[in-house]
Amino acid sequence: MTTIRLMHAKLHQVRITRANPEYMGSVTIDRRLMEQVGIFPLEEVQIYNSQNGHRFSTYVLPGEAESGCIEINGAASHLCSVGDRVIIVAFAQRDRAEVIKTGHQATVLIANAQNQCEELLVQQVIPNFEQERLDFQSESVLKAAIPTDIETLPPPPPRPPIDNDPDEMLDRGIESPPSPNFSFLDPPPPYDSTQF
């Protein structure tokens, strides 16, 4: 049996919230982030620092859910600073022949600046038996709503004077409006944008 390591979970561009050299080791990750991608407590992960290029491995401890914490502890804390963006990847050992037959799936969480899920991707290796190959597919399954500023509409243009409006006619000194020369059953006249 030939085994290979395939990524099964990734936290992409999370930010370091604490670097603690006094701790005995590990990375502490917001439990909710761990659950969203399927990383277990004590699981080995690789960490890649996008700011300085350092790469290292450690194990995971769960932190407070919804806190956004990403804390590098122990010796590895010297490789990161608070605010650094890192990629945290977990791998699974898979039987190569089984992957060829059934495929493989990984979950990727793209984080925002507060270490919350901005987008969740499912990435798959899919057997293509017709062409005797493995295909790759990446699909967004969750995208957080991004609030946008709602532009207020400009006020409507002033209403043009209407000859048979009683209030308008009184304002212009006409005592009684003329008899209407149309029926309310008639279709409305076509809209003329040049009058505004």
Side-chain angles (χ1 to χ4, degrees), residues 15-35:
R15 293 176 188 270
I16 301 298
T17 58
R18 186 177 183 207
N20 181 9
E22 302 305 318
Y23 198 82
M24 69 179 83
S26 74
V27 57
T28 304
I29 301 175
D30 177 327
R31 178 184 289 275
R32 177 68 180 135
L33 295 175
M34 292 172 57
E35 292 169 351

Side-chain angles (χ1 to χ4, degrees), residues 18-194:
R18 186 177 183 207
N20 181 9
E22 302 305 318
Y23 198 82
M24 69 179 83
S26 74
V27 57
T28 304
I29 301 175
D30 177 327
R31 178 184 289 275
R32 177 68 180 135
L33 295 175
M34 292 172 57
E35 292 169 351
Q36 286 178 295
V37 295
I39 293 176
F40 294 163
L42 301 183
E43 184 170 357
E44 180 184 353
V45 292
Q46 297 283 324
I47 299 179
Y48 315 131
N49 190 323
S50 298
Q51 306 298 124
N52 58 30
H54 287 302
R55 301 163 73 94
F56 56 93
S57 63
T58 188
Y59 62 94
V60 176
L61 292 178
E64 182 183 347
E66 307 292 347
S67 67
C69 69
I70 302 289
E71 301 174 6
I72 306 296
N73 303 312
S77 67
H78 297 287
L79 303 176
C80 299
S81 299
V82 172
D84 283 359
R85 290 176 295 115
V86 298
I87 298 165
I88 302 174
V89 183
F91 294 90
Q93 200 82 10
R94 295 289 314 273
D95 173 33
R96 189 174 187 276
E98 187 66 21
V99 172
I100 291 171
K101 286 197 309 189
T102 63
H104 178 77
Q105 179 172 298
T107 306
V108 177
L109 183 147
I110 299 173
N112 63 15
Q114 291 74 43
N115 288 343
Q116 298 168 333
C117 178
E118 184 171 291
E119 187 173 8
L120 200 63
L121 302 172
V122 171
Q123 297 185 331
Q124 294 177 294
V125 175
I126 304 167
N128 184 332
F129 298 110
E130 284 184 11
Q131 298 184 11
E132 298 182 353
R133 70 180 190 199
L134 293 173
D135 290 334
F136 174 76
Q137 176 179 305
S138 182
E139 182 180 5
S140 178
V141 294
L142 173 70
K143 194 156 191 174
I146 300 171
T148 56
D149 295 332
I150 300 173
E151 293 183 16
T152 55
L153 295 174
R159 188 178 66 166
I162 300 173
D163 288 341
N164 60 356
D165 183 341
D167 292 331
E168 292 254 353
M169 302 194 81
L170 287 173
D171 289 344
R172 288 188 279 162
I174 302 171
E175 293 186 12
S176 60
S179 299
N181 57 2
F182 65 92
S183 165
F184 286 104
L185 299 176
D186 292 338
Y191 176 75
D192 181 8
S193 62
T194 60

